């Protein structure tokens, strides 16, 4: 993305390539999940490709915002209505307000935060049809958690990036309220991990001690707990199964409060969860499965390669390398030389970032580095690219996927915009019993994680799990 009046940096002897604004910034935008027609690689303002126009991945009424990144977020919120994790009228009212005010990180965050605040407040008694106030508050709280999560994703691009922790905690309180008001209430516990403890929420269809199949639901790089309700808990309970939701390093409380980034050894995260489940009378230890949404399609593959007590694994989608979600031009900045990498980053790339792309970069790297998270909250760009990049690079599971022994489902999506091609590559590497399923535009299930069709998504995953886990 170049401008005629902006001089381009010149190659230097210690620079591995001639950096141009477009070369570097398209990679950064792609890593943030900016939708590019036909796959990853574009950013707002980039020149159109010479090839014929590709089909629109979100045509007609699926276009809530002109910006594809914001549109994807809006579609996630809207699609969750089928699981009572949002309300169609609330989401569309928010979308209209944002578009009227002018789409920006500020208007998006402020609008959804206000909806979260409104629904997190206890409802007035006596105006709930036949429902009890507690039941009404339960799903109001779930919707509040959804809207806080939407605001949280873009808060780093606002005038108050330091509000990130407070927004997370507001969403967490709403989620905890929802979990407490479930019937039966979700069991809350913490299990030891490294120098901290992992918070978990254990949902049961009823209070009996009958051993049941249990699904460990694993979130991705920037989702919140409520997404696990939409993409698994409700489906599991509907089938009479248990479901466990948890925060791992780089997620939830561990990231936003304790500032613990992602680890490349996810089996060490899952093992204490399996230990905890194994000790429960209402869990059938021979039928413990794990699912991974978004980037967690990578994490659970790693876990299943080494944690052999897992009876089945679903990668949604299959992700071999999160680092490959960034364009080659960005990846080429990162060499074995830490000093050179950071010199190119700070002298050639960072000064050329637009405010929008700077926000994108901060969001993408806060999960890999406490320094990046702290600097982002202070409204500054982190200076050390090399260190968090090593974590992202170290998440590659190409060599360990063939070690997975459990039956494995690999999902893919039409217009997969973050990890195109990787699901099929993972499927081809598997040596266990395996299945590859692509969710399609024909049924409205296109795009990463089928944001407009989570019910279809759960039907596919849990029907497959039922077949695998049947006695």
């Amino acid at each position: 993305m170049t401008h005629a009046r902006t001089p381009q940096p010149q190659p230097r002897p210690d620079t591995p390539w001639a950096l141009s604004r477009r070369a570097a910034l398209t990679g950064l935008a792609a890593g943030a999940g900016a939708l590019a027609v036909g796959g990853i690689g574009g950013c707002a303002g980039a020149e159109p490709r010479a090839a014929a126009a590709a089909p629109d991945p979100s045509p007609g009424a699926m276009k809530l915002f002109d910006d594809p990144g914001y549109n994807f977020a809006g579609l996630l919120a809207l699609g969750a209505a089928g699981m009572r994790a949002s309300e169609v009228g609330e989401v569309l009212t928010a979308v209209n307000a944002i578009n009227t005010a002018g789409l920006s990180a500020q208007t998006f965050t402020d609008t959804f935060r206000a909806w979260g605040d409104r629904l997190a407040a206890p409802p007035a008694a006596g105006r709930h049809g036949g429902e009890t106030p507690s039941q009404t508050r339960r799903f109001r709280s779930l919707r509040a958690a959804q809207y806080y999560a939407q605001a949280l994703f873009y808060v780093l691009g606002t005038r108050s990036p330091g509000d990130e922790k407070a927004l997370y905690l507001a969403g967490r309180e709403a989620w905890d309220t929802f979990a407490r008001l479930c019937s039966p209430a979700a069991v809350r516990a913490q299990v030891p991990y490294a120098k901290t403890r992992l918070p978990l929420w254990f949902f049961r269809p009823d209070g009996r001690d009958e051993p049941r199949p249990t699904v460990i639901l694993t979130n991705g790089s920037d989702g919140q707990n409520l997404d696990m309700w939409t993409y698994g808990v409700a489906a599991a309970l509907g089938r009479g199964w248990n479901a466990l939701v948890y925060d791992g390093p780089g997620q939830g409380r561990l990231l936003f409060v304790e500032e613990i980034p992602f680890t490349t050894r996810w089996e060490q995260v899952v093992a204490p969860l399996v230990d905890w489940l194994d000790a429960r009378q209402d869990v059938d230890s021979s039928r413990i499965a794990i699912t991974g949404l978004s980037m967690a399609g990578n994490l659970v593959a790693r876990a299943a390669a080494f944690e052999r007590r897992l009876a089945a694994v679903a990668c949604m989608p299959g992700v071999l390398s999160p680092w490959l979600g960034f364009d080659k031009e960005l990846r080429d900045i990162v060499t074995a030389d830490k000093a050179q990498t950071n010199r190119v980053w700070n002298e050639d790339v960072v000064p050329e970032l637009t405010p929008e792309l700077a926000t994108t970069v901060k969001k993408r790297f806060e999960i890999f580095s406490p320094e990046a998270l702290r600097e982002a909250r202070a409204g500054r760009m982190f200076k050390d690219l090399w260190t968090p990049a090593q974590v992202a690079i170290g998440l590659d599971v190409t060599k360990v996927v063939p070690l997975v022994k459990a039956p494995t489902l690999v999902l893919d999506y039409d217009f997969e915009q973050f990890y195109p091609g990787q699901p099929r590559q993972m499927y081809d590497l598997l040596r266990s019993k395996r299945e590859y399923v692509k969710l399609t535009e024909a049924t409205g299930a296109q795009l990463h994680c089928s944001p407009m069709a989570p019910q279809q998504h759960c039907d596919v995953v849990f029907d497959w799990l039922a077949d695998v886990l049947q006695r």
Side-chain angles (χ1 to χ4, degrees), residues 177-405:
T177 299
F178 167 76
R180 174 174 54 82
L181 293 175
C182 286
S183 182
V187 176
R188 290 185 55 185
Q190 298 185 58
V191 298
Y193 166 76
K195 296 181 180 180
T196 187
R197 301 180 72 83
L198 306 178
L200 66 81
W201 297 260
F202 182 69
F203 294 84
R204 302 158 294 163
D206 56 45
R208 293 179 296 170
D209 285 340
E210 174 187 342
R212 305 175 188 273
T214 301
V215 183
I216 301 172
L217 302 165
T218 307
N219 221 330
S221 63
D222 46 41
Q224 301 306 315
N225 299 129
L226 77 107
D227 296 324
M228 297 297 91
W229 173 267
T230 302
Y231 284 92
V233 176
L237 296 178
R239 288 162 173 78
W241 300 354
N242 304 315
L244 184 147
V245 177
Y246 67 102
D247 289 341
Q251 302 171 328
R253 180 176 179 84
L254 271 69
L255 175 67
F256 294 111
V257 177
E258 300 181 41
E259 300 181 0
I260 299 174
F262 269 96
T263 176
T264 59
R265 300 290 181 265
W266 208 257
E267 69 277 11
Q268 296 175 6
V269 179
V270 171
L273 299 174
V274 178
D275 290 342
W276 188 86
L277 290 172
D278 194 41
R280 294 188 62 88
Q281 293 184 347
D282 53 2
V283 172
D284 182 342
S285 297
S286 68
R287 294 192 288 173
I288 298 175
I290 192 166
T291 67
L293 186 70
S294 191
M295 197 185 86
N298 166 276
L299 305 176
V300 299
R302 168 84 199 190
F306 299 99
E307 177 48 77
R308 298 299 172 81
R309 291 175 293 176
L310 297 172
V313 56
C315 302
M316 314 177 314
V319 181
L320 290 176
S321 173
W323 183 235
L324 293 180
F326 294 88
D327 273 10
K328 184 176 185 299
E329 290 84 358
L330 173 65
R331 289 183 274 122
D332 282 349
I333 298 173
V334 182
T335 69
D337 188 326
K338 179 178 180 179
Q340 175 179 278
T341 295
N342 288 336
R343 182 169 57 249
V344 172
W345 172 246
N346 288 295
E347 296 179 10
D348 293 342
V349 178
V350 173
E352 300 290 340
L353 292 173
T354 66
E356 293 76 15
L357 284 174
T359 298
T360 286
V361 174
K362 293 171 188 176
K363 183 63 181 175
R364 293 322 306 152
F365 281 93
E366 71 171 357
I367 61 175
F368 298 128
S369 162
E371 182 227 352
L373 180 145
R374 294 171 196 145
E375 290 295 286
R377 289 178 173 177
R380 299 186 295 263
M381 181 58 68
F382 57 91
K383 297 187 180 302
D384 180 5
L385 170 68
W386 190 88
T387 298
Q390 301 312 301
V391 180
I393 293 168
L395 288 169
D396 191 303
V397 294
T398 303
K399 293 183 179 179
V400 303
V401 165
L403 303 179
V404 175
K405 301 297 184 185

